[in-house]
């Protein structure tokens, strides 16, 4: 099916979801499920008269800081895990031991170490985004195409030239896929951190609206989180397609 032919079903799916939402909300016996119009009105009111823009800015700032911190650590450490011999093996064991711990479990320690506010939230975001970037970096750098490795060796290429000319280009699609996964987990982590460890941000706003029984406001904030996360993922996907001659992941 062509892109033009696939556009109609792709556009119809969200409209059908909204229509189904409106139908279910109309028959719901309590105000726990507001309809799309009520949620839209709550979102517009929060954007115009409320703290939505300030909270969105706070969450976005924390996501970008934590994500960049995670990428700055995960890429070189993933390379060490792939190419570092015994050191890399020990690093993989360490990450494997920490891997089952969810980012939310670090919140009490983050608050104890850094207090409420940006530092603790940035730490939680970094924890959440680190793992997929680290794993994808280590996986792809450790599995270059054997034919290209043999060719590089036959031409007398050293380790650094092989890394730059063979391993990195071959690993680029997987690395960029890991960056997109890490970005999604960064958003999940910041909302979890803000629910209990911050006094601003979209996660904090959801908690405040919940305590005020403002279900429409909660759902409007959730939709803002989803829309912004999807927009950032789409932007990173577009950069990936420009950097490579083949798409990475699903746009």
């Amino acid at each position: 099916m062509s892109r033009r032919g696939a556009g109609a079903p792709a556009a119809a799916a969200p409209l059908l979801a909204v229509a189904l939402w409106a139908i279910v909300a109309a028959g719901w016996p309590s105000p726990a499920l507001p309809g799309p119009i009520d949620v839209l009105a709550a979102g517009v009111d929060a954007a115009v008269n409320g703290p939505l823009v300030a909270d969105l800015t706070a969450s976005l700032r924390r996501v970008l800081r934590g994500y960049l911190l995670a990428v700055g650590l995960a890429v070189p450490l993933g390379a060490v895990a792939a190419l570092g011999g015994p050191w890399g093996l020990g690093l993989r064991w360490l990450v494997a031991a920490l891997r089952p711990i969810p980012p939310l479990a670090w919140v009490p320690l983050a608050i104890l170490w850094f207090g409420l506010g940006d530092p603790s939230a940035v730490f939680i975001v970094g924890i959440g985004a680190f793992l997929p970037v680290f794993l994808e970096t280590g996986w792809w750098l450790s599995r270059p195409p054997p034919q290209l490795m043999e060719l590089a060796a036959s031409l007398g290429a050293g380790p650094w030239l092989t890394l730059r000319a063979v391993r990195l280009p071959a690993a680029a699609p997987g690395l960029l896929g890991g960056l997109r996964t890490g970005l999604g987990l960064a958003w999940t982590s910041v909302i979890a951190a803000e629910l209990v460890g911050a006094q601003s941000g979209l996660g904090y706003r959801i908690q405040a609206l919940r305590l005020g029984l403002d279900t429409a406001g909660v759902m409007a904030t959730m939709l803002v989180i989803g829309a912004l996360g999807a927009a950032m993922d789409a932007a990173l996907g577009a950069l990936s397609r420009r950097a490579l001659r083949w798409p990475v992941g699903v746009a």
Side-chain angles (χ1 to χ4, degrees):
M1 182 182 294
S2 66
R3 289 182 179 269
R4 182 174 300 178
L15 295 177
L16 290 174
V18 172
L20 180 61
W21 172 15
I23 293 170
V24 174
W28 203 266
S30 72
L33 181 62
I37 300 299
D38 295 330
V39 172
L40 178 61
V44 171
D45 181 68
V48 175
N49 303 314
L52 179 61
V53 175
D55 286 325
L56 188 152
T57 303
S59 292
L60 184 60
R61 179 180 67 245
R62 292 161 183 158
V63 166
L64 292 177
R65 289 178 179 176
Y67 179 69
L68 292 177
L69 176 64
V71 171
L73 291 174
V75 171
L77 289 178
V80 171
L83 309 173
W87 289 98
L89 179 61
L91 184 57
R92 292 197 298 273
W93 284 349
L94 176 61
V95 173
L98 298 176
R99 182 178 181 181
I101 305 174
L104 189 59
W106 291 90
V107 169
L109 288 177
I111 295 174
L112 180 64
W113 293 339
F114 304 109
L116 298 175
D118 281 13
S120 60
V122 168
F123 175 77
I124 297 301
V125 171
I127 291 289
F130 173 86
L131 190 60
V133 180
F134 173 86
L135 292 176
E136 292 294 329
T137 300
W139 173 270
W140 288 95
L141 285 180
S142 64
R143 289 164 175 81
Q147 301 88 342
L148 295 181
M149 293 295 291
E150 293 174 2
L151 178 60
S154 66
L155 295 175
W160 288 108
L161 180 57
T162 302
L163 175 65
R164 180 174 60 85
V166 178
R167 289 183 183 270
L168 284 177
L175 295 181
L176 291 169
L179 292 177
R180 293 182 70 175
T181 303
L183 182 60
L185 289 177
W187 268 111
T188 303
S189 300
V190 76
I191 300 305
E194 290 173 348
L195 283 171
V196 294
Q199 296 179 327
S200 64
L202 296 175
Y204 171 81
R205 184 55 43 195
I206 288 176
Q207 184 77 323
L209 292 168
R210 181 190 68 83
L211 294 175
L213 301 179
D214 186 354
T215 310
V218 169
M219 295 183 68
T221 307
M222 291 171 61
L223 291 177
V224 169
I225 294 169
L228 186 57
M232 293 180 67
D233 179 74
L236 187 55
L239 290 175
S240 300
R241 289 190 294 272
R242 290 182 65 88
L244 303 172
R245 287 181 292 182
W246 57 88
V248 178
V250 179

